[in-house]
């Protein structure tokens, strides 16, 4: 019973998070020709960066929070969460600004030429530049997600993932 109550909301949350990409692709399909390809290519770089950051944070933070919860040190865990949220914000904002500014030179260096012309490279770089702006929010979300899992509040994770999907559709 406890297994189902903890992991069923996490499965639902994973479904909601994974639905964001097909929804974005469906929306891009009504835009001019090449929009879906630009979204896909521009999103790959963003997904690579967020994947690395998410894996690094998750592998360290979840066991750390879980240890605090197992020792009934909720106040210490919350204090650490506050510090990590502040540190994650302070570190991720300058990194995001740098990646946002370097998106166009990066895309032009890596992809322009061959099948990707100047106009297409500009479109892909805009997708990447605007997609990378989610990095600070992603870092905070991963920290809060791991804290919620460690504190056995996976239902909140599901609600947040559903709200995130709604925001993707609205924006």
């Amino acid at each position: 019973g406890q297994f189902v109550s903890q992991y069923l909301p996490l499965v639902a949350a994973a479904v909601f998070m994974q639905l964001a990409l097909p929804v974005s692709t469906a929306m891009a399909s009504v835009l001019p020709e090449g929009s879906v390809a630009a979204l896909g290519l521009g999103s790959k770089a963003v997904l690579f960066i967020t994947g690395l950051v998410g894996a690094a944070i998750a592998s360290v933070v979840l066991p750390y929070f879980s240890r605090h919860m197992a020792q009934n040190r909720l106040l210490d865990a919350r204090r650490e969460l506050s510090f990590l949220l502040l540190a994650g914000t302070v570190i991720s904002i300058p990194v995001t600004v740098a990646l946002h500014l370097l998106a166009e030179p990066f895309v032009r260096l890596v992809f322009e030429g061959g099948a990707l012309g100047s106009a297409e490279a500009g479109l892909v770089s805009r997708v990447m530049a605007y997609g990378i702006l989610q990095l600070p929010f992603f870092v905070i979300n991963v920290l809060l997600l791991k804290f919620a899992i460690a504190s056995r509040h996976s239902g909140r994770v599901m609600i947040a993932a559903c709200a995130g999907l709604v925001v993707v559709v609205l924006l």
Side-chain angles (χ1 to χ4, degrees), residues 70-92:
Q71 296 171 349
N72 288 325
R73 296 174 36 205
L74 181 60
L75 188 59
D76 290 340
R78 285 184 177 172
R79 198 173 302 126
E80 293 295 327
L81 175 64
S82 295
F83 172 76
L84 290 172
L85 290 173
L86 178 64
T89 302
V90 167
I91 293 169
S92 66

Side-chain angles (χ1 to χ4, degrees), residues 34-123:
S35 297
V36 173
L39 175 69
L41 191 55
S43 296
K44 297 286 187 230
V46 174
L47 289 173
F48 177 73
I49 293 167
T50 57
L52 285 177
V53 169
I57 291 172
S59 63
V60 172
V61 171
L62 181 59
Y64 186 70
F65 285 145
S66 296
R67 185 180 56 207
H68 281 304
M69 295 302 170
Q71 296 171 349
N72 288 325
R73 296 174 36 205
L74 181 60
L75 188 59
D76 290 340
R78 285 184 177 172
R79 198 173 302 126
E80 293 295 327
L81 175 64
S82 295
F83 172 76
L84 290 172
L85 290 173
L86 178 64
T89 302
V90 167
I91 293 169
S92 66
I93 288 177
V95 170
T96 299
V97 169
L99 291 172
H100 179 76
L101 295 174
L102 294 173
E104 186 170 356
F106 172 77
V107 169
R108 293 201 185 280
L109 176 71
V110 173
F111 297 113
E112 193 173 6
L116 204 65
S118 180
E120 293 85 6
L123 182 59

Side-chain angles (χ1 to χ4, degrees), residues 114-162:
L116 204 65
S118 180
E120 293 85 6
L123 182 59
V124 170
S125 67
R126 283 194 309 274
V127 169
M128 183 180 160
Y130 289 115
I132 203 66
L133 293 178
Q134 70 181 314
L135 186 61
F137 303 101
F138 177 79
V139 168
I140 299 307
N141 187 35
V142 169
L143 289 169
L144 291 172
L145 172 85
K146 297 309 172 189
F147 183 81
I149 291 171
S151 62
R152 299 177 190 248
H153 290 106
S154 56
R156 293 179 184 173
V157 174
M158 181 185 67
I159 292 168
C162 182

